[in-house]
Amino acid sequence: MASLKQVMNPEVINLGALECLSSAVVTSLNMTGRDYRYFIADYWNLNCELKMLLSSRNFSFYNLEAIYGMKSDFVVGPYELLIREVERGNIVIYKVEASKLGFFPESMLGFENQFFGHCLLVYKYEPGTQTFHIVDPVIKYVGKISMDELIHASAFPSCAGMNTIHLNKESTLSSEQRLNFSAERNYNSYCLEYVPGGARALRKFREIIEESVEWTQEVRNEWSSKNSISITSILKLRGLVWGSFRSLAGFTQDVIEHGDKSIEDISKLWNSLNLNILKIGRQPKPEYVDKIINYTKLLEEKELDFLKFVYHNTQLKLKETE
């Protein structure tokens, strides 16, 4: 078993359930002295996968090069490659099956059979004992794990699968440029029809809601419980994204107050949506279906207005510096 202990280390950041990859990225940025708020500012996202609303973004859509000047990639290879990347001082986010980790709480394994992977941040190797220093931000664990344990837990049979982030460069963009870039990405990924996710996720979810009344009670109840967990993460990240812009962009007080009010309204809508999803999980009443559809339509409108508002104001701040 890995020699790990639970800690409340301020360097370890958990962005929420189902956000193990993004939590590992922001934790690694924080551990290396980089301001992770720029990453979070770029993370307003929404998907509908496996009949669930999700905030997570695929690693291929992380634009770490523009935000931090850092190259990133995903590789699968021998364990010697893992050791080499760690010894070079790169960030390594190692793909695992959580159920094969001796320290991972069984109570948190509910999503594994839904094809949700897990990952660990690996940041140091001790050749004498063949052990790695790791962080699992989602459960706030730091410590050591042996090579044999990593091999056993790998999500890829007989090899290592990992996201690597190379730390040898820094961004050449100003703070204003980075925030404007992220605000534009957030807005476009939400409203452009050829980009997956965003408003389309809410439309897809409305179709699922109408189908849910035909499911068995067991299936519907499990589905509603899992959506409730994922929506909690969405809600948390909405506040963190605005908080990053709020603290970094130098907005006027009027802009801040408008943004605060918008996030408050959006949060209320997500909470109301969540409540009715739990209700429909217990009993598929038509009134719950109607309320959920209405809340998703209001969210689509309110979130798009908010993202447009943030983008407009980061553009203004950028123009002030030119």
Side-chain angles (χ1 to χ4, degrees), residues 38 40-45 57 61 63 66-67 173 175-192 194-195 200 241 245 251 303-304 306-316 318 322:
Y38 288 105
I40 293 177
D42 192 57
Y43 205 74
W44 189 288
N45 196 54
R57 176 173 276 167
F61 286 92
N63 204 328
I67 302 171
L173 299 180
S175 176
E176 291 82 7
Q177 288 172 321
R178 283 189 278 180
L179 291 173
N180 182 248
F181 169 85
S182 295
E184 182 178 13
R185 278 228 310 170
N186 290 339
Y187 176 68
N188 285 340
S189 65
Y190 201 87
C191 67
L192 293 181
Y194 60 83
V195 180
R200 287 149 308 289
V241 172
F245 280 104
F251 290 145
E303 293 207 333
L304 189 56
F306 172 76
L307 294 173
K308 186 176 182 180
F309 162 78
V310 175
Y311 180 29
H312 171 72
N313 281 283
T314 58
Q315 283 183 307
L316 294 178
L318 181 59
E322 293 175 346

Side-chain angles (χ1 to χ4, degrees), residues 11 23-34 91 93 121 165 167:
E11 292 180 336
S23 296
V25 171
V26 295
T27 294
S28 64
L29 292 169
N30 199 32
M31 289 172 67
T32 56
R34 291 165 173 84
I91 295 171
I93 301 170
L121 173 61
I165 303 172
L167 299 174

